[in-house]
Amino acid sequence: MRAVIQRVLQASVTVGEDVVGAIGRGYLILLGVGAADTEAEAERLWAKIRDLRICEDEAGKTNLSLVQTEGEVLVVSQFTLYADCRRGRRPSFTAAGDPAHARELYEYFAGLVRRDLGRVETGSFGAHMQVSLVNDGPFTIVLDTADL
């Protein structure tokens, strides 16, 4: 699995005219599911994100985790994180999980967030979405379970 974690002051996702998910201070997580990913990768990735100390303490140092700051989470599916641009000019997405598999793991990941935080906002899997955010810092981290 691959994730782009953006520490935000606020974020939302819209489908058509409807806001389907919105948060205040916390993390916007763009989540990509690979063809060979399993629930084990989802668990490992969420544990890493949950415990990352990238939130500021009262001294302005990145010493606190999302849980410690009672931050919110918005998870948006993004298969394009598996774009392979090595050949030609049109990306290939063959390494991304097929839609049924990706949806299952996306929902499983969101369930892990809900289990630990009590609440999670999500995008609409497979829909054309507009994502808005106010990046805090800016602070953006890219994680891949192949490297954890």
Side-chain angles (χ1 to χ4, degrees), residues 3-4 20 25 33 43 47 67 71 80 90 101 109 120-121 124 133:
V4 174
V20 297
R25 185 177 298 270
V33 176
E43 291 167 9
V67 174
T80 59
R90 184 170 184 220
H101 174 69
F109 183 90
V120 63
E121 293 287 314
S124 182
L133 68 136

Side-chain angles (χ1 to χ4, degrees), residues 28-101:
L28 167 63
I29 302 172
L30 304 175
L31 183 69
V33 176
D37 288 335
T38 66
E39 290 180 356
E41 279 83 22
E43 291 167 9
R44 194 165 74 244
L45 181 61
W46 169 240
K48 176 62 90 172
I49 294 169
R50 180 195 61 219
D51 297 334
L52 276 176
R53 296 183 343 176
I54 61 172
C55 297
E56 293 180 354
D57 62 16
E58 56 281 342
K61 301 286 185 187
T62 53
N63 283 327
L64 301 176
S65 71
L66 180 69
V67 174
Q68 291 171 305
T69 60
E70 298 179 352
E72 300 179 77
V73 173
L74 171 60
V75 182
V76 176
S77 63
Q78 189 161 356
F79 77 94
T80 59
L81 293 178
Y82 277 90
D84 181 351
C85 299
R86 292 178 289 182
R87 295 184 55 192
R89 295 186 181 168
R90 184 170 184 220
S92 168
F93 299 102
T94 58
D98 70 72
H101 174 69

Side-chain angles (χ1 to χ4, degrees), residues 1 6 8 32 43 54 69-70 114 118 130 134 143:
M1 297 183 97
Q6 296 181 300
V8 298
E43 291 167 9
I54 61 172
T69 60
E70 298 179 352
R114 188 174 295 108
Q130 293 77 47
V134 176
L143 295 176

Side-chain angles (χ1 to χ4, degrees), residues 13-32:
V13 61
T14 303
V15 176
E17 299 294 319
D18 300 321
V19 174
V20 297
I23 63 167
R25 185 177 298 270
Y27 298 167
L28 167 63
I29 302 172
L30 304 175
L31 183 69

